[in-house]
Amino acid sequence: MDAELISLVGRARIHAALGDASRLAIVDALTVGDASPGEIAQTLDLPTNLVAHHVKVLTAAGLVVKARSEGDRRRTYLRLRPEVMAALAAPPLPGVDRVVFVCTHNSARSQLAAALWRRRTHGAAASAGTRPASRVHPRAVAVAHRHRLDLDPTGTAHVGDVIRGNDLVIAVCDNAHEELTAPMRPRLHWSVPDPVRADTDEAFEAAYADLADRVDRLAPAVLLRSQS
C-alpha cells in the first residue's frame, strides 16, 4: 500500500472526505457495487451537480476511482477502493515475535488475554505478573472453560522470567502499567477493571468481554514475524 495512505495526513484527508452525510452515503452505496454518477444521484435523490462535487472530493481523497464503461463509452462508473478504507485502521505494529500480557498476579486478566490472543491469531503469546499468584483464579478458569479457552490453572509466572526482546508487552491492569519500567515497560496499556475485586461471575465475564474486544481490535495491526 502507498505509504501516504497510512500516514496521518492521508488518513486525515480520508476522514475529512467522509465528514459529510451525502459523501458517506455515496461510499455506502459503492461498498456493495459500482455505479455511475447518474445512478448515485437517482438512488440518493441528490442533484447531479452536487453528486459531481462530492465525487470530486472522494476522488481527491483516493476513496473512489472512475472508469469508462466497456459498453457505452460515454458512461463513467465509480468504484470504491477498499484498501483506502482499510488505511483508516490503526497503523501496523511490525516485527513482533510474541505478545506478552501482564497484570499484577497473573491470575486472571493476563491469562485470559493470552488465551484469547492465541485463539484469535494462532500466534505466540504469553502472560506474566509483577507479583504472581500461586495459581490462576478459579473464576478465571471457569470463564475460560465456558468460552472454550485453553488455560493452565497452575501456569503463573513472573515478568522477569517471561519477557524478552521483540515481545510486544501489554499491561492489562493499571498497577502493572504504572510499576514496570524499562526494559520491561509495556508498550500498550489496557485499563481493564480487576474482576477479582468483585469476585463474581459477572465481573469475570465483563473482563473476558472487554479483553476479547480489545484483542479483536489489535490483532489486525500486529504483524507477527512468524506470519510474515
Side-chain angles (χ1 to χ4, degrees), residues 69 102 106 130:
S69 167
V102 178
N106 191 212
T130 55

Side-chain angles (χ1 to χ4, degrees), residues 38-58:
E39 290 169 336
I40 290 291
Q42 183 176 17
T43 299
L44 300 181
D45 193 23
L46 292 172
T48 54
N49 63 330
L50 186 56
V51 169
H53 165 71
H54 289 319
V55 168
K56 182 178 180 180
V57 174
L58 293 170

Side-chain angles (χ1 to χ4, degrees), residues 158-182:
H158 188 272
V159 290
D161 298 325
V162 174
I163 295 175
R164 58 181 186 240
N166 292 321
D167 283 338
L168 172 60
V169 181
I170 303 175
V172 292
C173 81
D174 298 339
N175 287 330
H177 173 66
E178 294 162 8
E179 291 175 8
L180 289 175
T181 58

Side-chain angles (χ1 to χ4, degrees), residues 105-184:
H105 300 301
N106 191 212
S107 65
R109 289 165 291 181
S110 56
Q111 293 279 351
L112 292 170
L116 281 161
W117 185 265
R118 286 190 290 266
R119 185 171 71 182
R120 172 67 172 78
T121 69
H122 303 290
S127 68
T130 55
R131 296 187 295 275
S134 60
R135 61 171 186 161
V136 179
H137 195 285
R139 291 191 190 275
V141 175
V143 75
H145 178 74
R146 284 194 295 271
H147 293 278
R148 299 181 180 180
L149 288 178
D150 185 15
L151 195 154
D152 179 3
T154 63
T156 61
H158 188 272
V159 290
D161 298 325
V162 174
I163 295 175
R164 58 181 186 240
N166 292 321
D167 283 338
L168 172 60
V169 181
I170 303 175
V172 292
C173 81
D174 298 339
N175 287 330
H177 173 66
E178 294 162 8
E179 291 175 8
L180 289 175
T181 58
M184 295 186 292

